[in-house]
Amino acid sequence: METDVLGLPYERHTIDLGSDDEGPVVATLVRRRAANPTRRAVLHVHGFVDYFFQTHMADFFVERGWDFYALDLRKYGRSLLPHQTPNFARSMTDYFPELDEAARIIREEDGHDQLLVTGHSTGGLITSLWAHTRRGRGLVDGLFLNSPFFDFNLPWVMRRPLMSMVLAVTGRYPYRKMPVANLGLYGRSLHHEHDGEWSYDLAWKPITGFPVRMGWLEAIRRGQHKLRSGLSIDAPVLVACSTRTFRGRAWHDDIRVSDSVLDVDHITRWAPGLSRQVTIARFDGGMHDLTLSGKEVRAEVFREVGRWVDAFLPAPGTPEAAIPPAPEDRAGIATALEAAEAAVENRTTDEADDKSGATA
């Protein structure tokens, strides 16, 4: 590990992922240790046009006794190399090797036996598919999805038949840019030089984003289709999103209190199909990245995450809550209940016999 760009106490480790058609590929694992040794760890995965800079999220977990890790995926943030197309991938499974290696480092090298994975937006889609594919291996103990990218925020005719037609025509040109303009409204709502409160590297997270490539679009579409068909993640899942979607194309203050990227109803529609244990939490006034919402809202988000973690991911070694015996399991009660049931059965039989004799 070496010192990260955020400075101490943040460290980073570069994961060598070989090469693809553009050349060498790496991912970057960022780490911040808790004050005291712990067996619990969090692994955060960012969204599209994003990287890890949300140090207040690390503060929250570290103060609760968790070691915090964040993974800048290949071609994002710290892992973006000069020869690469920013944020490009041909499949959501492209990211599985760095997720596998991050989990191995956290569990085997750093000695953790409890892992909570958090994923925002595209990171929520990726981690859901990864957790489903790696089920049964004891890698993921819980999954927190912050406004996950389960569907495109478009009318049905555009996100289904029209998109299929477009991708069928352009499928041979994965690096071709999709002819859409990012208005930068969400970026403006975040960065402190515009209408937001956050400071981050605009080279890694530009206000107007990076161009959307056809190959990436097809990869997202395939991943979403698999997710919407139903997953079997063998860990509890918390899915969180705003209560409102903003659909305007010009700046409005509502952008600061709603999801201006995704349709929140899509998120709640598809969430129950992830696992047998899914909790859905919606936050009034939440932005697309709930942890970057206004102060009061993000405080509510972290409180809810804390309650959910306490309920579904108790610290290793925490004794299980004793289950009180049912009344029929207590000494003497079972005999009394059996006697009462027998009396009812006898009375019912006698009444039936009386009726039978009266009508003979």
Side-chain angles (χ1 to χ4, degrees):
M1 289 276 185
E2 60 181 350
T3 303
D4 184 56
V5 294
L6 293 171
L8 293 174
Y10 292 93
E11 305 169 288
R12 70 177 181 185
H13 169 70
T14 300
I15 301 172
D16 185 353
L17 296 168
S19 298
D20 65 5
D21 61 317
E22 292 189 306
V25 179
V26 300
T28 309
L29 184 64
V30 179
R31 180 180 70 187
R32 179 181 168 188
R33 298 276 199 182
N36 298 312
T38 177
R39 296 156 59 190
R40 313 174 83 187
V42 177
L43 174 62
H44 173 67
V45 181
H46 56 79
F48 184 61
V49 191
D50 201 5
Y51 73 101
F52 171 64
F53 65 91
Q54 300 89 339
T55 56
H56 63 294
M57 179 165 56
D59 293 340
F60 170 79
F61 283 106
V62 166
E63 289 168 5
R64 293 174 65 90
W66 296 70
D67 283 344
F68 182 87
Y69 296 78
L71 184 64
D72 276 13
L73 300 167
R74 63 185 68 199
K75 306 186 182 183
Y76 283 87
R78 299 164 178 81
S79 308
L80 179 60
L81 302 178
H83 60 273
Q84 293 177 328
T85 303
N87 302 182
F88 181 78
R90 294 176 182 268
S91 171
M92 296 296 97
T93 61
D94 288 354
Y95 302 113
F96 289 6
E98 52 255 57
L99 284 165
D100 289 339
E101 179 62 6
R104 188 196 67 79
I105 291 171
I106 293 169
R107 286 189 174 274
E108 297 181 13
E109 293 189 9
D110 290 354
H112 298 91
D113 54 17
Q114 187 175 55
L115 178 60
L116 168 65
V117 176
T118 76
H120 167 55
S121 197
T122 303
L125 172 63
I126 294 167
T127 55
S128 295
L129 296 170
W130 174 71
H132 166 78
T133 304
R134 300 295 188 258
R135 65 192 182 279
R137 303 187 186 184
L139 293 181
V140 178
D141 296 294
L143 191 61
F144 165 44
L145 305 178
N146 168 7
S147 303
F149 189 13
F150 291 165
D151 210 342
F152 292 98
N153 186 12
L154 296 168
W156 180 85
V157 69
M158 295 181 66
R159 69 178 189 267
R160 296 292 187 268
L162 186 58
M163 186 175 294
S164 297
M165 293 171 57
V166 170
L167 290 173
V169 172
T170 61
R172 292 177 296 174
Y173 308 99
Y175 290 98
R176 177 177 289 179
K177 298 178 184 179
M178 185 177 180
V180 295
N182 184 329
L183 302 176
L185 299 179
Y186 180 56
R188 280 183 55 188
S189 73
L190 296 180
H191 201 270
H192 73 99
E193 293 180 357
H194 296 269
D195 297 286
E197 61 175 300
W198 304 99
S199 177
Y200 50 83
D201 193 331
L202 293 176
W204 291 345
K205 187 177 174 65
I207 296 298
T208 57
F210 293 113
V212 173
R213 309 282 175 165
M214 292 300 180
W216 178 88
L217 196 67
E218 172 62 16
I220 292 291
R221 190 176 72 110
R222 290 198 309 269
Q224 289 178 341
H225 181 268
K226 181 176 180 63
L227 181 142
R228 294 195 302 269
S229 297
L231 303 183
S232 300
I233 299 170
D234 56 354
V237 181
L238 172 62
V239 178
C241 64
S242 180
T243 58
R244 288 177 281 176
T245 297
F246 177 81
R247 302 187 184 282
R249 295 183 59 82
W251 175 262
H252 193 283
D253 285 343
D254 283 354
I255 294 173
R256 294 196 182 98
V257 293
S258 57
D259 192 325
S260 58
V261 178
L262 298 181
D263 186 327
V264 296
D265 290 337
H266 291 163
I267 296 172
T268 56
R269 176 183 179 184
W270 300 112
L274 298 173
S275 167
R276 289 184 297 176
Q277 290 181 298
V278 178
T279 303
I280 299 175
R282 304 185 72 167
F283 297 91
D284 190 28
M287 298 179 69
H288 177 53
D289 186 340
L290 293 168
T291 69
L292 302 182
S293 301
K295 184 177 180 179
E296 293 183 0
V297 177
R298 66 177 181 261
E300 183 183 354
V301 170
F302 284 122
R303 280 194 297 270
E304 186 63 29
V305 171
R307 285 194 292 266
W308 180 83
V309 167
D310 290 343
F312 289 95
L313 278 82
T318 301
E320 292 189 11
I323 301 175
E328 58 266 28
D329 295 332
R330 296 174 185 169
I333 296 294
T335 302
L337 287 174
E338 290 174 1
E341 290 173 357
V344 170
E345 290 177 0
N346 291 336
R347 186 167 60 251
T348 302
T349 302
D350 291 342
E351 291 174 353
D353 290 342
D354 291 343
K355 290 180 180 179
S356 176
T359 57

